[in-house]
Amino acid sequence: MQSCSVNSEIVYHKDAASTSVTDIDTREFMAEMMAMTPDSLKEKEFGEVDKLPTIWTSMYDLAKKEGKLKTENPDSIRIMKKIFMKSAKEDNKLAGFSFKMEHFAPDDYKVLKSFTKTEKIPLDQNIYNNWDGKTLTIDTENFNLKSIEEAIKTKSSKEEAEKIAGMMVMFFKKIGTTLKFENPIQSISGKHDWLKQIDDHSIRIEYDLKAIYDKDVKLKNADKKIIIITE
């Protein structure tokens, strides 16, 4: 049943903003779901998926097109115009989704936090780490799948949501995040088993799903804060 892979990349810009892209590969998952769904229900269950854009489209344009724009709040609208999504197709079947947050400044993240209380989007929690243009302070509490879980649960019925919550560790095959910096990394303080430096400009976080959901799994290195200073 392990059938979804999630890969994110966050680019940290010198002006204290950041851009992130999350790709969710659902090929195996969709094949399994299709196989388990009777033909009579396929259109009802998967018809909506076919309407998703295959080119980057802002959440604002998407909501407007579907007649679902619920807000007139200028901050929310500004944020919706900076979050993009698209779907990927393979052999006319859904192969995955991608979400992009374009050049988010620290103030944008504050608005995003309140925006995502009602709008559940599968974003990488690491976007909320503090970045000032030179120093990134990683809170390793953000090494979780909270926003992805919430997005899945919102789209599901109550029974399905409970079932999914119990199956999260089986649900995902591989989850990882790459952090990239425009300037070279000068120093890293703090250690975590899942975090490794790849080169002068990038860090990779590979999640251990068993450790996330099984509290008995002990990590060798699990500092609460990791500080990355760039040149």
Side-chain angles (χ1 to χ4, degrees):
M1 183 65 193
Q2 286 179 308
S3 50
C4 270
S5 299
V6 182
N7 188 52
S8 301
E9 182 177 288
I10 306 171
V11 177
Y12 293 98
H13 306 296
K14 299 172 205 173
D15 62 358
S18 54
T19 295
S20 65
V21 177
T22 295
D23 297 312
I24 304 170
D25 183 335
T26 59
R27 279 172 297 193
E28 289 174 43
F29 174 68
M30 287 305 284
E32 284 165 10
M33 293 301 279
M34 289 292 252
M36 285 156 55
T37 305
D39 287 347
S40 57
L41 289 176
K42 275 182 183 162
E43 178 54 36
K44 181 176 174 281
E45 295 283 328
F46 303 107
E48 288 297 305
V49 160
D50 291 333
K51 297 173 188 165
L52 293 169
T54 51
I55 55 165
W56 288 120
T57 305
S58 75
M59 282 189 70
Y60 176 78
D61 287 340
L62 213 54
K64 226 173 154 193
K65 189 179 162 196
E66 292 173 0
K68 291 180 183 171
L69 190 60
K70 302 174 201 160
T71 182
E72 289 179 7
N73 179 314
D75 278 341
S76 293
I77 286 171
R78 175 167 61 84
I79 290 302
M80 289 176 82
K81 286 180 174 176
K82 293 176 84 166
I83 302 176
F84 299 83
M85 75 87 59
K86 67 175 178 177
S87 63
K89 300 251 172 80
E90 215 172 72
D91 303 326
N92 277 338
K93 293 187 187 82
L94 183 74
F97 305 94
S98 295
F99 292 87
K100 177 165 67 166
M101 294 166 55
E102 192 78 72
H103 213 91
F104 265 56
D107 284 350
D108 294 332
Y109 286 112
K110 285 179 193 153
V111 177
L112 181 71
K113 270 194 171 169
S114 56
F115 180 70
T116 52
K117 280 183 182 135
T118 50
E119 295 294 325
K120 304 298 181 193
I121 315 165
L123 302 171
D124 191 307
Q125 290 291 111
N126 285 289
I127 56 173
Y128 294 115
N129 289 323
N130 189 22
W131 167 246
D132 65 7
K134 182 176 169 64
T135 303
L136 175 69
T137 304
I138 297 174
D139 180 352
T140 59
E141 295 287 323
N142 286 329
F143 292 178
N144 64 58
L145 310 178
K146 207 167 71 187
S147 64
I148 295 173
E149 284 173 31
E150 284 177 2
I152 292 169
K153 286 176 192 170
T154 308
K155 304 275 187 289
S156 318
S157 67
K158 192 171 181 290
E159 294 76 30
E160 279 176 328
E162 281 166 8
K163 209 159 52 182
I164 286 166
M167 283 164 43
M168 285 302 276
V169 70
M170 291 158 57
F171 196 64
F172 290 108
K173 187 161 65 175
K174 199 167 182 245
I175 295 193
T177 305
T178 302
L179 311 178
K180 289 191 170 178
F181 301 89
E182 286 183 354
N183 282 346
I185 296 163
Q186 192 176 312
S187 67
I188 300 172
S189 57
K191 286 183 178 178
H192 196 286
D193 286 0
W194 306 348
L195 183 141
K196 285 182 178 61
Q197 182 170 355
I198 304 168
D199 56 39
D200 289 348
H201 289 265
S202 44
I203 302 284
R204 180 73 180 165
I205 303 161
E206 290 283 356
Y207 293 79
D208 178 341
L209 292 160
K210 193 173 183 331
I212 290 177
Y213 294 103
D214 183 349
K215 297 295 169 238
D216 294 333
V217 175
K218 295 282 180 274
L219 302 179
K220 203 163 69 175
N221 300 299
D223 289 339
K224 290 271 182 266
K225 291 264 188 286
I226 292 168
I227 295 168
I228 299 168
I229 299 173
T230 59
E231 286 178 14

